[in-house]
């Protein structure tokens, strides 16, 4: 396995030395190389007459699709390019069956993009959304397994809960759902690109991820995995570029009833995003070059070091089965309600979600950051 501790990752990012950025779950910083690729793309966009149609409209999106596919452990044919997690979830909702009296499972305090769409679908079908809650010492996996039954038509879940960092054992959940004939829809926005995704064992129907957090990409370019059995489904849009033969611009009004191969029919309109695509491609290539095993080990080690640094202050993680890259810290009773603002005053960027501090590092987080974090927490609590 490649050692990551020897590399100066900070130099690849535009991170000021007096700032400790522990907020990847909010928004990942783009690599300098990705920003440069984006700037070059804007530069080219001033001269459309120099554009090579095959390259810009077709080959570049294919390159992006291939890199995204690696993160899902899928093939390029299984990936659609979409603008946002909510778009991919709407696509999943449109393509899954639901009858009156059946249930859709979601988690308590799940991210809203993966809740509203299911409320709407349930209301239309006369079905209901069942919100899974967990008790203090229970893992999300245990709570979900208890909730799955013959009435479960769809489980719309994250791999990692965005507010407490709890990890869902998707292999176990996927198997339990299949045994009841249920469908699995995943929002991987808080986990894809941080560890290996065991697609063959999890076997989701749809899995999506926004691209601007752990994928370190530009805003408004996201990815969807669509299982082969759904690749003949109904896209949200009926654009021109997702049809077979779209490469021949002179023949576009010889309308085609056939779609491009695989999941491409689900691509968003204007998916050949000339400005954002090159930047996103650089980010995904870089993540894939790190290797998911080395990356997940490194992120686990960073979160463990961050947790250890504040444990003596009475701040600890109380989430069973927390994800390796994602630390949500319960605060002592006397903690001020504006912890995030107090930490920001001392050069530490984190998020506060409910009663917890959400501390999400990346490979650029080093010992200086960990020390500054511990000092800032101590100052905020005193
Ligand atoms: C779990 C999760 N899903 C999705 C999103 C973003 O959703 P969308 O792409 O629909 O804006 C976020 C943003 O915080 C998130 O935490």
């Amino acid at each position: 396995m490649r050692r990551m501790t020897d590399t100066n990752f900070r130099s690849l990012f535009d991170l000021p030395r007096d700032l400790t950025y522990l907020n990847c779950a909010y928004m990942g910083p783009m690599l300098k190389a990705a920003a440069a690729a984006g700037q070059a793309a804007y530069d080219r966009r001033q001269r459309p007459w120099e554009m090579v149609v095959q390259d810009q409209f077709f080959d570049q999106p294919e390159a992006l699709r291939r890199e995204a596919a690696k993160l899902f452990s899928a093939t390029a044919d299984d990936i659609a390019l979409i603008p946002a997690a909510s778009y991919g979830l709407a696509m999943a909702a449109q393509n899954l069956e639901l009858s009156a009296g059946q249930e859709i499972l979601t988690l308590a305090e799940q991210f809203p993009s993966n809740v509203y769409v299911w409320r709407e679908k349930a209301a239309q079908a006369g079905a209901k959304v069942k919100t899974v809650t967990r008790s203090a010492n229970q893992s999300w996996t245990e709570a979900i397994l208890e909730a799955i039954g013959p009435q479960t038509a769809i489980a719309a879940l994250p791999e990692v809960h965005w507010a407490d960092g709890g990890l869902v054992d998707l292999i176990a959940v996927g198997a339990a759902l299949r045994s009841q004939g249920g469908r699995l829809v995943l929002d991987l926005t808080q986990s894809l690109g941080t560890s290996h995704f065991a697609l063959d064992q999890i076997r989701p129907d749809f899995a999506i991820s926004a691209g601007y957090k752990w994928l370190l990409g530009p805003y408004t370019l996201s990815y969807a995995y669509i299982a082969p059995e759904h690749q003949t489904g109904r896209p949200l849009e009926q654009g021109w570029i997702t049809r077979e033969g779209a490469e021949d611009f002179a023949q576009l009004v010889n309308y085609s009833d056939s779609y491009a191969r695989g999941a491409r029919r689900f691509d968003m309109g204007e998916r050949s995003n000339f400005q954002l695509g090159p930047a996103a491609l650089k980010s995904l290539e870089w993540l894939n070059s790190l290797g998911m095993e080395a990356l997940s080990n490194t992120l686990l080690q960073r979160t463990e070091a961050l947790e250890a640094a504040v444990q003596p202050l009475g701040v600890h993680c109380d989430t069973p089965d927390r994800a390796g890259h994602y630390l949500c810290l319960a605060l002592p009773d006397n903690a001020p309600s504006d912890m995030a603002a107090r930490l920001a005053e001392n050069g530490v960027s984190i998020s506060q979600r409910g009663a917890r501090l959400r501390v999400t590092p990346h490979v650029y987080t080093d010992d200086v950051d960990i020390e500054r974090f511990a000092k800032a927490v101590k100052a905020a609590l005193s």
Side-chain angles (χ1 to χ4, degrees):
M1 192 206 335
R2 188 169 148 192
R3 276 168 59 84
M4 295 193 129
T5 44
D6 300 332
T7 314
N8 179 12
F9 287 113
R10 280 191 83 84
S11 67
L12 304 180
F13 294 86
D14 186 21
L15 291 168
R17 189 60 275 190
D18 59 357
L19 175 83
T20 287
Y21 191 72
L22 298 171
N23 226 342
C24 207
Y26 155 66
M27 192 175 299
M30 282 173 66
L31 290 155
K32 287 179 188 167
Q39 279 147 8
Y42 271 105
D43 188 39
R44 278 197 301 281
R45 185 66 187 79
Q46 297 175 100
R47 298 176 300 281
W49 53 91
E50 288 178 7
M51 217 169 177
V52 180
V53 167
Q54 178 62 34
D55 180 49
Q56 302 265 314
F57 281 89
F58 298 97
D59 296 349
Q60 291 213 20
E62 282 308 305
L64 187 58
R65 204 186 303 279
R66 279 197 298 277
E67 288 304 314
K70 290 180 196 166
L71 296 169
F72 285 98
S73 311
T75 69
D77 282 351
D78 304 323
I79 303 299
L81 302 175
I82 59 173
S86 49
Y87 185 103
L89 294 161
M91 197 167 85
Q94 174 162 292
N95 283 281
L96 291 176
E97 285 175 12
L98 182 68
S99 309
Q102 288 189 308
E103 280 179 4
I104 302 171
L105 293 190
T106 60
L107 304 186
E109 298 183 4
Q110 185 161 296
F111 191 77
S113 290
N114 199 14
V115 174
Y116 292 128
V117 66
W118 303 113
R119 285 190 185 177
E120 161 123 351
K121 183 163 174 84
Q124 279 168 3
K128 80 172 202 216
V129 173
K130 183 181 166 107
T131 306
V132 178
T133 54
R134 70 169 177 88
S135 51
N137 294 320
Q138 194 181 28
S139 69
W140 282 117
T141 307
E142 288 160 350
I144 296 164
L145 291 176
E146 268 177 22
I148 291 173
Q151 73 291 351
T152 313
I154 299 166
L157 302 171
E159 183 170 27
V160 173
H161 196 296
W162 74 305
D164 71 10
L167 179 72
V168 177
D169 179 346
L170 292 175
I171 299 178
V173 167
L177 259 181
R178 277 191 302 280
S179 74
Q180 301 285 355
R183 300 295 192 168
L184 182 59
V185 179
L186 297 175
D187 176 3
L188 303 177
T189 299
Q190 294 294 5
S191 57
L192 195 74
T194 64
S195 56
H196 171 68
F197 182 69
L199 179 77
D200 287 348
Q201 289 161 284
I202 297 168
R203 295 168 55 192
D205 291 275
F206 292 83
I208 57 93
S209 175
Y212 67 95
K213 295 174 184 283
W214 300 94
L215 302 185
L216 310 177
Y219 198 62
T220 330
L221 198 38
S222 303
Y223 310 95
Y225 162 83
I226 295 119
E229 74 169 288
H230 300 293
Q231 290 175 9
T232 51
R234 197 157 61 88
L236 291 182
E237 305 174 29
Q238 301 295 339
W240 62 273
I241 204 165
T242 52
R243 296 285 165 146
E244 207 170 65
E247 291 84 354
D248 188 352
F249 283 15
Q251 298 299 322
L252 288 181
V253 291
N254 286 336
Y255 305 120
S256 167
D257 289 330
S258 316
Y259 288 101
R261 209 173 63 245
R264 292 171 184 80
R265 68 172 60 197
F266 293 100
D267 281 355
M268 64 179 158
E270 300 190 7
R271 63 100 205 271
S272 313
N273 193 322
F274 320 123
Q275 293 83 232
L276 303 186
L281 181 61
K282 274 272 180 271
S283 308
L284 298 194
E285 282 173 346
W286 183 74
L287 283 170
N288 282 320
S289 78
L290 295 178
M292 287 301 129
E293 193 189 345
L295 180 55
S296 64
N297 286 335
T298 303
L299 296 179
L300 173 63
Q301 177 240 315
R302 304 281 149 100
T303 56
E304 281 176 344
L306 286 159
E307 187 179 12
V310 293
Q311 224 151 22
L313 306 170
V315 179
H316 66 284
C317 172
D318 64 356
T319 308
D321 289 354
R322 82 160 170 89
H325 62 290
Y326 210 105
L327 187 62
C328 288
L329 295 170
L331 295 167
D333 292 341
N334 62 346
S337 58
D338 60 345
M339 279 293 285
R342 288 176 184 232
L343 287 167
E345 279 167 19
N346 285 309
V348 175
S349 172
I350 51 122
S351 293
Q352 195 158 351
R353 291 287 175 268
R356 292 188 176 85
L357 287 187
R358 189 176 70 179
V359 182
T360 47
H362 211 284
V363 292
Y364 43 71
T365 306
D366 61 12
D367 291 349
V368 176
D369 291 316
I370 293 168
E371 202 176 313
R372 184 179 294 126
F373 172 64
K375 272 196 189 143
V377 171
K378 188 169 181 187
L381 288 175
S382 60

